[in-house]
C-alpha cells in the first residue's frame, strides 16, 4: 500500500501566522507559504489583502490548504477606524465600501469565467447596485447567551454570563456585545448590556455549550423599517421556567424601548442543537402582537418570527426592482401569459410582477408550506389578482402540472444557496421558456448552473450585482438568460 506523501508546507490542526496577498470569491483571503519546496497556497475566510492573520489549518492537499481564521494580528493598510464594536458577522466593516464593491465585483465575474465558462462576462455586466444603507441595514439579529465568555485583553475564555455573538473560531465561547455593531438597530444594541444584566440578576444560568445545559439560550429581535417597531423572541429551556417572570421581562423591554415594542414571544427549546427554534419546542405570545408589518415597493408584508423575509429590506427593494426590470424588459413575454416564479418564498417578486403587468398569470412554487401560506395572505392583503401559489417541490411540481407546458415564456428563479439540482434544472429547461431571470444569493452555484443552461441554448444577456450585505463577503446576483 502506497504511503501518503506528507505535506511539506503545513499539517492539519497546525496554527500559522500568514500574510494575506489576494482575495478570492466568498471572502477567502489568499496567503502563500514559500520555502525550499516551492510555493503553497493557503485560503483563509473573512480576510483581506494586507492583513497578517493567525489561522488554523482545517484541510490540506498537495496544492493548497483551507484554514479557519483565529485572529487578525495586523490590519490591512486599506482599513479605517469605525465607531462600532467588531463582530464576526461584519469582517470587512473597516474596509471602505468602494473597496468592498471592487473586491466583490472582480471575484464574482471571475467565477462566471472560471466555473460558468463565460469568457466575455465583462461585456454582459450591467451594474453594481449599492445598498441604500451602508450601516444599520439589517432587520433581524440573533444574539446568543453563553456561560463561557471571552476576555479580549488576555485573549482567553473566561467563565461569565454573556449575551452577544460566538467568538470567531471558538464554538463554545460567547463574546459580549456591549455597544452598536453598526449592522442592526443602534438603540437596541446599546441597551443589550442592560438586558444581559437583567437576565443575569435573575440568578438563572445562561447556556453552557460544552455541557449542553442552562436556561437562557437566545434573544432574537426583528425590526420593521416601515413602523420602527421591534418584535422580540426570548428562547429558553423549560427547566427553571417557573422561576422566570416573563411578564416582568416584557415590562422591562417596554421600559427600555417604549412604544417601539411590537411584542414579546417566548420559545421553549430543550434540544441540544444550536438553533433558535426547536423542531419539538413551543412558541407563545407573552405581550403585544406576534407580527410586524414591512413595506416593499408600496406593498405590505406581515412578518412573523418564523417567516422568511429579506434581511436588508431597503436593498431588497433595489434587488426586486432589478428582477422586475429584467422580467418586464420584454412585456410581450409576460402580458397575457403564465409566468413561473420558482422557489418563490413569500411570493414578493411574483406579486410585484403581477402588479406591474397586464393580465399575466403568476404561478409561485415553494417547498416551504408556511412561506406559501404567508404568500397567499400577503397577496390578499395587497389585493393583487392573477396569482396562484403551490406548496410543492419544484421538480415534482413541474412533472405534476404538464398543463403549463408551452404556455410559459418567462421563468423567475430564486433558489437557496445550494442552487438548483441538475435534474430540476433539466425539467425547467424542458419547459422551453425563452427567458429566465435567475436571482442568486450564491453566485458560485449560479455560475455552475450557467454552464448547464448555456449547453441547452440559453445565453447570458445581462448580469447585475446587488450588495444586500455590506461588510460581509455575500453578494446577490440577478442574471437574465435568453434563448
Amino acid at each position: 500500500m502506497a504511503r501518503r506523501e506528507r505535506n511539506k508546507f503545513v499539517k492539519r490542526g497546525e496554527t500559522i501566522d500568514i500574510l494575506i496577498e489576494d482575495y478570492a470569491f466568498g471572502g477567502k483571503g489568499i496567503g502563500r507559504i514559500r520555502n525550499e519546496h516551492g510555493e503553497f497556497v493557503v485560503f483563509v475566510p473573512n480576510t483581506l489583502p494586507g492583513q497578517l492573520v493567525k489561522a488554523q489549518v482545517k484541510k490540506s492537499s498537495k496544492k493548497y490548504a483551507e484554514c479557519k481564521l483565529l485572529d487578525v494580528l495586523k490590519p490591512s493598510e486599506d482599513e479605517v477606524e469605525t465607531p462600532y464594536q467588531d463582530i464576526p458577522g461584519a469582517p470587512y466593516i473597516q474596509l471602505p465600501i468602494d473597496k468592498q464593491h471592487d473586491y466583490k465585483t472582480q471575484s464574482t465575474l471571475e467565477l462566471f469565467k472560471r466555473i460558468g465558462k463565460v469568457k466575455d462576462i465583462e461585456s454582459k455586466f450591467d451594474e453594481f447596485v449599492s445598498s441604500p444603507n451602508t450601516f444599520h441595514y439589517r432587520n433581524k439579529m440573533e444574539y446568543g447567551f453563553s456561560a463561557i465568555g471571552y476576555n479580549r485583553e488576555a485573549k482567553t475564555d473566561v467563565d461569565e454570563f454573556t449575551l452577544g455573538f460566538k467568538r470567531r473560531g471558538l464554538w463554545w465561547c460567547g463574546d459580549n456585545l456591549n455597544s452598536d455593531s453598526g449592522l442592526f438597530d443602534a438603540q437596541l444594541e446599546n441597551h443589550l448590556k442592560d438586558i444581559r444584566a437583567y437576565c443575569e440578576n435573575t440568578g438563572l444560568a445562561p447556556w453552557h455549550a460544552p455541557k449542553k445545559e442552562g436556561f437562557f439560550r437566545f434573544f432574537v429581535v426583528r425590526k420593521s423599517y416601515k413602523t420602527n417597531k421591534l418584535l422580540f423572541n426570548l428562547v429558553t429551556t423549560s427547566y427553571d421556567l417557573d422561576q422566570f417572570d416573563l411578564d416582568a421581562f416584557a415590562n422591562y423591554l417596554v421600559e427600555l424601548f417604549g412604544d417601539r415594542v411590537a411584542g414579546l414571544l417566548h420559545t421553549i427549546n430543550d434540544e441540544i442543537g444550536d438553533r433558535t427554534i426547536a423542531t419539538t419546542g413551543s412558541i407563545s405570545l407573552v405581550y403585544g402582537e406576534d407580527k410586524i408589518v414591512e413595506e416593499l415597493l408600496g406593498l405590505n408584508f406581515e412578518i412573523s418570527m418564523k417567516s422568511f423575509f429579506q434581511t436588508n429590506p431597503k436593498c431588497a427593494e433595489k434587488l426586486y426592482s432589478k428582477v422586475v426590470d429584467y422580467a418586464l424588459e420584454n412585456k410581450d413575454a409576460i402580458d397575457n401569459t403564465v409566468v413561473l416564479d420558482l422557489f418563490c418564498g413569500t411570493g414578493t417578486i411574483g406579486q410585484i410582477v403581477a402588479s406591474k403587468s397586464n393580465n399575466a398569470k403568476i404561478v409561485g412554487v415553494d417547498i416551504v408550506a408556511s412561506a406559501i401560506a404567508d404568500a397567499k395572505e400577503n397577496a390578499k392583503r395587497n389585493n393583487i389578482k392573477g396569482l396562484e401559489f403551490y406548496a410543492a417541490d419544484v421538480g415534482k411540481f413541474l412533472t405534476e402540472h404538464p398543463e403549463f407546458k408551452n404556455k410559459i415564456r418567462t421563468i423567475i428563479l430564486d433558489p437557496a444557496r445550494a442552487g438548483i439540482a441538475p435534474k430540476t434544472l433539466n425539467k425547467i429547461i424542458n419547459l422551453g421558456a425563452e427567458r429566465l431571470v435567475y436571482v442568486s444569493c450564491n453566485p458560485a452555484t449560479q455560475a455552475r448552473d450557467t454552464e448547464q443552461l448555456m449547453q441547452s441554448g440559453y445565453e447570458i444577456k445581462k448580469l447585475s450585482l446587488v450588495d444586500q450585505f455590506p461588510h460581509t463577503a455575500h453578494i446577490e446576483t440577478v442574471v437574465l438568460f435568453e434563448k
Side-chain angles (χ1 to χ4, degrees):
M1 190 172 153
R3 201 159 65 87
R4 195 162 160 235
E5 192 184 329
R6 191 173 157 271
N7 191 308
K8 297 181 175 73
F9 296 93
V10 294
K11 58 179 188 287
R12 195 163 167 261
E14 184 184 350
T15 299
I16 58 172
D17 293 355
I18 189 141
L19 178 70
I20 303 301
E21 299 176 9
D22 290 309
Y23 180 95
F25 175 78
K28 287 186 177 180
I30 301 171
R32 292 181 178 87
I33 297 171
R34 299 170 179 90
N35 62 22
E36 68 275 17
H37 303 293
E39 188 174 283
F40 183 74
V41 171
V42 173
F43 291 105
V44 188
N46 298 321
T47 58
L48 287 170
Q51 288 179 335
L52 179 68
V53 303
K54 186 177 286 298
Q56 186 178 40
V57 180
K58 301 307 287 178
K59 273 195 278 190
S60 97
S61 67
K62 276 187 195 172
K63 293 184 177 172
Y64 67 91
E66 296 269 0
C67 295
K68 177 169 81 171
L69 174 64
L70 297 178
D71 211 353
V72 176
L73 302 173
K74 186 166 157 279
S76 159
E77 285 179 7
D78 291 331
E79 293 180 83
V80 295
E81 283 291 313
T82 71
Y84 307 114
Q85 182 176 329
D86 64 289
I87 61 169
Y92 305 125
I93 201 162
Q94 291 178 313
L95 187 68
I97 198 72
D98 54 341
K99 274 270 187 207
Q100 294 182 36
H101 293 173
D102 288 346
Y103 281 136
K104 288 181 179 185
T105 303
Q106 290 161 15
S107 60
T108 305
L109 295 182
E110 192 55 43
L111 269 190
F112 278 87
K113 275 187 189 166
R114 190 167 49 81
I115 300 174
K117 313 282 195 293
V118 188
K119 298 286 178 264
D120 60 341
I121 191 66
E122 284 88 356
S123 67
K124 319 284 187 185
F125 183 54
D126 178 6
E127 68 169 325
F128 189 104
V129 180
S130 305
S131 174
N133 304 336
T134 303
F135 297 98
H136 304 115
Y137 62 82
R138 289 184 63 94
N139 63 358
K140 184 184 180 188
M141 273 296 204
E142 294 184 357
Y143 306 99
F145 290 95
S146 175
I148 306 170
Y150 187 77
N151 183 312
R152 287 176 173 233
E153 280 70 47
K155 300 201 171 189
T156 181
D157 52 1
V158 286
D159 290 337
E160 67 174 5
F161 191 115
T162 66
L163 176 59
F165 300 104
K166 285 272 165 65
R167 185 71 188 164
R168 183 181 282 125
L170 307 173
W171 63 268
W172 66 90
C173 202
D175 192 13
N176 274 326
L177 186 70
N178 293 311
S179 58
D180 179 14
S181 70
L183 289 200
F184 186 46
D185 185 271
Q187 186 195 17
L188 180 282
E189 292 199 325
N190 284 324
H191 273 305
L192 202 67
K193 59 183 179 297
D194 303 317
I195 293 165
R196 179 178 82 231
Y198 179 98
C199 294
E200 187 172 6
N201 287 338
T202 64
L204 296 168
W207 186 251
H208 193 296
K211 291 182 183 173
K212 306 205 179 309
E213 63 184 31
F215 177 70
F216 293 107
R217 298 200 66 175
F218 296 98
F219 186 57
V220 186
V221 191
R222 289 199 101 141
K223 171 182 178 174
S224 162
Y225 282 85
K226 178 185 171 78
T227 64
N228 202 30
K229 296 265 190 187
L230 300 170
L231 181 63
F232 299 97
N233 181 22
L234 180 69
V235 182
T236 72
T237 57
S238 60
Y239 317 110
D240 299 329
L241 185 54
D242 57 346
Q243 294 173 49
F244 184 73
D245 189 334
L246 284 162
D247 294 322
F249 183 62
N251 292 336
Y252 179 66
L253 293 176
V254 173
E255 260 177 57
L256 290 179
F257 306 109
D259 60 6
R260 289 194 71 198
V261 179
L264 169 66
L265 294 140
H266 174 240
T267 296
I268 292 174
N269 180 357
D270 287 333
E271 293 178 3
I272 57 172
D274 206 12
R275 299 185 322 147
T276 52
I277 296 180
T279 45
T280 55
S282 65
I283 185 162
S284 56
L285 183 64
V286 177
Y287 170 88
E289 302 287 323
D290 64 351
K291 288 186 174 77
I292 47 176
V293 174
E294 191 56 272
E295 188 179 289
L296 282 184
L297 296 172
L299 304 178
N300 286 315
F301 297 89
E302 263 192 5
I303 308 159
S304 68
M305 252 315 152
K306 286 185 179 180
S307 55
F308 170 78
F309 198 73
Q310 288 286 355
T311 310
N312 180 350
K314 293 291 173 206
C315 194
E317 290 192 320
K318 298 238 180 185
L319 173 71
Y320 292 149
S321 294
K322 182 57 70 177
V323 175
V324 173
D325 285 351
Y326 282 6
L328 296 180
E329 200 172 82
N330 179 355
K331 277 203 85 189
D332 286 351
I334 298 276
D335 293 346
N336 305 305
T337 69
V338 176
V339 177
L340 263 188
D341 183 9
L342 301 179
F343 316 97
C344 70
T346 53
T348 318
I349 295 172
Q351 287 185 63
I352 297 165
V353 171
S355 70
K356 292 180 183 291
S357 58
N358 297 318
N359 203 31
K361 180 179 182 180
I362 315 290
V363 177
V365 185
D366 199 286
I367 199 166
V368 181
S370 60
I372 291 295
D374 282 348
K376 288 176 179 174
E377 276 302 307
N378 289 327
K380 207 185 295 178
R381 177 177 305 100
N382 293 312
N383 198 25
I384 297 176
K385 305 286 186 282
L387 286 156
E388 282 181 21
F389 290 108
Y390 296 88
D393 173 84
V394 166
K396 286 180 182 161
F397 175 85
L398 296 175
T399 308
E400 289 161 9
H401 290 268
E403 69 267 26
F404 294 125
K405 193 143 174 86
N406 304 322
K407 289 188 182 166
I408 297 155
R409 295 177 64 190
T410 302
I411 298 175
I412 296 164
L413 305 159
D414 189 3
R417 289 190 66 75
I420 304 168
K423 277 185 182 172
T424 302
L425 190 53
N426 264 334
K427 288 175 183 172
I428 291 166
I429 289 163
N430 290 339
L431 285 169
E434 64 205 62
R435 309 168 73 246
L436 306 174
V437 183
Y438 186 159
V439 190
S440 175
C441 59
N442 184 0
T445 52
Q446 188 183 42
R448 177 202 70 203
D449 295 345
T450 293
E451 189 181 16
Q452 192 177 342
L453 287 165
M454 286 171 64
Q455 285 166 357
S456 304
Y458 286 98
E459 287 293 327
I460 291 183
K461 191 179 177 201
K462 288 182 174 182
L463 159 77
S464 281
L465 275 59
V466 183
D467 193 23
Q468 285 264 79
F469 306 102
H471 319 307
T472 75
H474 297 295
I475 190 77
E476 297 253 349
T477 40
V478 186
V479 181
L480 173 62
F481 291 93
E482 286 190 351
K483 271 192 165 174

